[in-house]
Amino acid sequence: MNRVTAHRRILAAALCFTLPFGLAACGDDVPDETTQYVGEAASYLTAAEEDGALGADAVADTDVSQREAMADEDVGALETEPTDDGKTCDFSAYRQVVVEKYDDDGDGQLNARELRELKADVGERRDTLRPRLAQLGRRARHWAFWRVRWAFDENGDGTLSAEERVALVDAMEARCQRLRTERLEQHDTNGDGSLDDSERQAARAARRARWEARRQERLVTYDTNDNGVLDAGERVALRADRVEAAQERRATLLATYDSNGDGRLSTAEALPLRQDIQRRIIEGRDAED
């Protein structure tokens, strides 16, 4: 049996019940290029809003320099106070942000030249993402999105095919919908299906409180001079521990998936791991550290 095809059928079935307006998920034709790339850019923006280790197990297919770059990004994100406005995740709104950014002539859609610019900024390869797109998010999370792309690059060729890109977009939209539902369950106290000003304020305060609690935990371990912040030297120690943790996690993953013991994952060996990360993305897991 073709494992990719079988997994795609299972994934599509799950997404069909999750997405209110699924594209490829419910068996419709593959959307056009504009829809695909706008969706991929919107997926990046949703990832940039999260605080967690999205797609973290993609570390299995990294080298030392990549793990160090991931640690740099993660440490910077850890020390950035959330700017959450308390609203629920809205994938269609992220799509609109992307269209408005690239719609230079203001006609409400992307012409051929505008689409080329978007495609160039998204990057044809999974390891590229240009600053103009990254700056649309509240912070740049290049490596977090690299891990998402890795998970959906099932044939391991370093690029996303149309089918892989659609699967990524549908999964990230489903994740956004799930996170939206979870926030409503936690903070929609009057049960009207949306968050009013007071409920958004409560959601914002709750997220900041979780962030502050994690920050205090880090200070206990790394704030050696007890000044209430992590200075440059203390951040170096935190970064070193993140790199070491990533190396240990990579070793654990290789022990599980590297069946021939050659110290790397072949395309076939990596496929079950990629598919496991896909499931975690859809389920809304790892949204916060």
Side-chain angles (χ1 to χ4, degrees):
M1 177 182 293
N2 185 318
R3 296 176 68 188
V4 176
T5 302
H7 177 73
R8 280 276 179 260
R9 287 198 296 267
I10 296 170
L11 186 66
L15 288 170
C16 188
F17 288 102
T18 304
L19 296 178
F21 305 107
L23 295 170
C26 295
D28 292 340
D29 292 337
V30 173
D32 61 39
E33 262 198 326
T34 299
T35 301
Q36 290 180 42
Y37 279 93
V38 168
E40 186 176 7
S43 298
Y44 168 76
L45 295 183
T46 65
E49 290 295 315
E50 295 189 19
D51 295 324
L54 182 62
D57 281 351
V59 72
D61 192 27
T62 58
D63 58 28
V64 173
S65 65
Q66 289 173 318
R67 293 192 289 276
E68 290 176 343
M70 288 181 187
D72 287 336
E73 180 176 282
D74 290 346
V75 169
L78 289 173
E79 293 303 301
T80 302
E81 184 172 350
T83 57
D84 190 345
D85 60 7
K87 295 180 181 178
T88 55
C89 190
D90 186 343
F91 201 82
S92 63
Y94 289 125
R95 288 182 187 271
Q96 187 60 35
V97 167
V98 174
V99 171
E100 290 176 357
K101 178 67 175 180
Y102 289 87
D103 179 22
D104 294 334
D105 61 13
D107 66 352
Q109 57 189 354
L110 301 187
N111 60 35
R113 179 187 59 80
E114 293 162 347
L115 176 59
R116 283 197 302 271
E117 292 178 359
L118 173 59
K119 290 174 65 175
D121 287 355
V122 170
E124 292 293 339
R125 295 185 58 80
R126 68 165 187 255
D127 56 356
T128 57
L129 193 72
R130 292 188 178 179
R132 178 168 60 163
L133 176 60
Q135 291 166 0
L136 283 179
R138 70 181 178 91
R139 60 186 177 191
R141 296 202 71 196
H142 168 88
W143 286 105
F145 198 55
W146 179 93
R147 296 191 296 260
V148 174
R149 282 171 152 174
W150 183 89
F152 286 90
D153 179 20
E154 292 196 344
N155 64 7
D157 66 353
T159 66
L160 294 179
S161 66
E163 181 185 24
E164 291 168 341
R165 180 170 288 105
V166 169
L168 181 155
V169 173
D170 282 346
M172 289 298 289
E173 185 170 6
R175 180 181 182 84
C176 183
Q177 180 66 27
R178 188 177 293 271
L179 295 177
R180 171 187 173 86
T181 299
E182 289 177 358
R183 176 162 284 197
L184 288 173
E185 290 174 348
Q186 294 167 358
H187 299 289
D188 179 22
T189 55
N190 62 11
D192 67 352
S194 63
L195 298 184
D196 59 28
D197 288 344
S198 63
E199 292 165 340
R200 286 198 299 271
Q201 183 177 354
R204 184 168 59 247
R207 183 171 181 181
R208 194 196 181 286
R210 293 192 297 271
W211 175 84
E212 179 62 25
R214 295 192 297 271
R215 190 179 79 88
Q216 291 298 325
E217 291 174 358
R218 289 193 297 275
L219 290 176
V220 170
T221 303
Y222 297 102
D223 182 21
T224 55
N225 61 9
D226 294 323
N227 68 346
V229 296
L230 297 184
D231 59 27
E234 293 162 345
R235 287 165 67 92
V236 167
L238 171 57
R239 176 186 181 277
D241 283 352
R242 300 286 289 201
V243 171
E244 182 179 359
Q247 291 170 339
E248 292 175 353
R249 180 58 181 164
R250 179 176 182 272
T252 298
L253 291 165
L254 288 178
T256 301
Y257 294 98
D258 179 21
S259 56
N260 64 7
D262 67 352
R264 57 180 295 277
L265 296 181
S266 68
T267 302
E269 291 169 339
L271 183 58
L273 176 59
R274 296 181 199 269
Q275 294 174 344
D276 181 62
I277 296 172
Q278 291 175 23
R279 286 190 290 271
R280 295 180 69 87
I281 288 171
I282 293 168
E283 292 169 1
R285 298 168 70 178
D286 312 310
E288 294 187 19
D289 273 333

